[in-house]
Amino acid sequence: MPVSSEKEKAITQRMLELGVSESDLEETFVRSSGPGGQKVNKTSSCVHLLHTPTGIAVKCQRERYQSLNRHLARRLLLDKIERAQKGFVEEEKEKIEKIRRQKRKRSKRAKEKILTGKHHQTAKKVLRSKIKIEEQ
């Protein structure tokens, strides 16, 4: 399943814009893993691309076809290189750090503060409930 010539031209154009040449890329093919059955187990359709000047590596085994994986791997690599060149790396690190802080285990004091707030809310809700009148 070959990639269209328009898409190939778009990738080469993008490579020129980012200053990446084919000689900078080390391309190896390995056997894929996961679903795909006999076809995947027999052929080396997984593409591993390494951009030697920056050391950025990409592995793509999304499709069953090597030619399509080569195209997708180049696209992924160019995305990573572009992020690195334009300084998006720092922003991504900040996002990752923020998520890490959010997932971090809370301190005892923070847990107690949250529980106090919940107890207060519960008390308010109890006061809203209907009053039951007992008959004698």
Side-chain angles (χ1 to χ4, degrees):
M1 187 168 179
V3 181
S4 68
S5 60
E6 295 154 7
K7 288 185 179 181
E8 285 292 332
K9 287 176 188 174
I11 285 286
T12 30
Q13 179 65 33
R14 195 164 168 215
M15 286 174 77
L16 286 171
E17 288 170 6
L18 292 172
V20 177
S21 65
E22 281 291 328
S23 60
D24 293 343
L25 303 178
E26 281 183 32
E27 189 174 42
T28 52
F29 305 103
V30 289
R31 295 229 170 110
S32 298
S33 61
Q38 189 176 9
K39 166 74 174 156
V40 163
N41 296 334
K42 285 195 311 187
T43 59
S44 299
S45 57
C46 180
V47 178
H48 185 267
L49 269 182
L50 174 69
H51 185 241
T52 45
T54 58
I56 297 174
V58 167
K59 194 174 185 182
C60 184
Q61 62 178 32
R62 196 178 305 165
E63 301 295 329
R64 285 176 61 184
Y65 306 101
Q66 190 183 74
S67 59
L68 200 51
N69 281 334
R70 287 181 76 205
H71 175 75
L72 294 171
R74 277 176 174 65
R75 204 166 66 185
L76 286 171
L77 184 73
L78 291 175
D79 288 344
K80 281 190 173 188
I81 291 171
E82 187 174 24
R83 272 190 239 122
Q85 284 180 355
K86 295 191 176 176
F88 292 118
V89 174
E90 289 302 316
E91 288 178 22
E92 284 185 18
K93 282 183 182 175
E94 287 174 15
K95 284 180 187 176
I96 291 168
E97 179 61 27
K98 182 179 177 185
I99 291 169
R100 195 181 66 76
R101 280 195 310 269
Q102 288 173 344
K103 289 184 176 182
R104 186 172 52 201
K105 195 174 179 181
R106 288 195 175 98
S107 66
K108 260 188 176 180
R109 179 179 255 172
K111 283 182 188 175
E112 287 172 6
K113 190 174 178 182
I114 290 169
L115 280 176
T116 307
K118 285 185 175 186
H119 290 310
H120 182 70
Q121 187 67 22
T122 305
K124 280 197 289 187
K125 282 193 166 190
V126 167
L127 292 174
R128 289 185 207 147
S129 65
K130 291 183 181 178
I131 300 171
K132 293 181 182 176
I133 302 172
E134 294 182 25
E135 293 181 25
Q136 292 180 345

